[in-house]
Amino acid sequence: MRSEPYDMLSLETERLTFRQWQESDFEAVASYFSNAANVKHVGGQKNAEEAWRLIATYIGHYLLKGYSYPAIVEKASGKLIGTVGLWNSKPWPELELGYWLFNKYQGKGYTVEAGKAVKSFAFESLKSNSLVSYIDPENKASIKVATKLGATFDGTCELLEFGPHQIYRYLR
């Protein structure tokens, strides 16, 4: 367990705040992950128990590493919109910037806005020199976001059981 403060959860942008997941987030997450079309590129469809475990996994990763995929809230409405964060479990190849937003919040620039804050956190607080986004080659929207965040294509890989993914690299 980490003993220093968890700075990632105090991140904030002009329109968004980052926070820890709450039990009240469950229904929205379970609903989103119940639709296969929504989550084709973020681990696939999940039943309610699997959605619950996903939230618990995000919290556990945060407690172990001091960063994770936090809940992102729209300031204007106070509504949960999804997540933008960092992942690097033991079997994961390297530090990844990842994201998913509920459908009604996509296309508003929120992913790029939050992604910039997460990238700064990775480079400044974690002292990382590089991070990546692993993206399914069919996920054109995610590729567009990564490029807007300054990532460049850096090859392909077999991403564990998730199959072939393109690597988009961010440098400090």
Side-chain angles (χ1 to χ4, degrees):
M1 295 272 224
R2 296 172 53 89
S3 58
E4 60 268 12
Y6 301 125
D7 299 327
M8 183 174 225
L9 297 181
S10 64
L11 291 177
E12 165 170 340
T13 69
E14 181 182 335
R15 301 180 295 165
L16 307 169
T17 57
F18 291 58
R19 66 162 169 77
Q20 187 55 274
W21 292 95
Q22 301 169 356
E23 189 170 355
S24 59
D25 298 329
F26 169 70
E27 292 299 330
V29 173
S31 176
Y32 181 71
F33 275 89
S34 71
N35 183 327
N38 291 342
V39 295
K40 178 181 179 184
H41 302 294
V42 292
Q45 190 172 14
K46 299 184 183 336
N47 64 34
E49 178 63 18
E50 292 166 330
W52 178 267
R53 288 175 183 263
L54 179 67
I55 292 170
T57 299
Y58 290 163
I59 295 168
H61 189 282
Y62 177 78
L63 291 173
L64 291 169
K65 304 284 265 185
Y67 58 85
S68 184
Y69 292 131
I72 306 289
V73 174
E74 181 184 51
K75 286 181 182 178
S77 68
K79 299 280 187 186
L80 174 70
I81 68 166
T83 187
V84 178
L86 298 170
W87 188 263
N88 195 14
S89 63
K90 288 293 183 187
W92 211 244
E94 62 184 300
L95 184 62
E96 179 183 24
L97 189 160
Y99 35 84
W100 59 261
L101 297 184
F102 299 136
N103 296 346
K104 75 183 260 184
Y105 299 102
Q106 295 173 11
K108 299 176 184 262
Y110 287 149
T111 310
V112 172
E113 184 176 326
K116 287 178 182 177
V118 169
K119 223 172 78 167
S120 291
F121 175 81
F123 293 147
E124 295 168 21
S125 296
L126 301 180
K127 307 296 185 211
S128 179
N129 290 317
S130 169
L131 63 150
V132 298
S133 289
Y134 296 111
I135 303 174
D136 183 311
E138 296 176 13
N139 192 346
K140 303 303 180 202
S142 188
I143 291 169
K144 187 175 179 180
V145 167
T147 338
K148 283 184 178 181
L149 286 170
T152 56
F153 178 74
D154 191 29
T156 60
C157 70
E158 276 296 317
L159 186 60
L160 307 175
E161 72 272 9
F162 301 105
H165 277 64
Q166 295 180 337
I167 303 165
Y168 281 81
R169 184 165 305 281
Y170 310 87
L171 298 173
R172 183 193 289 242

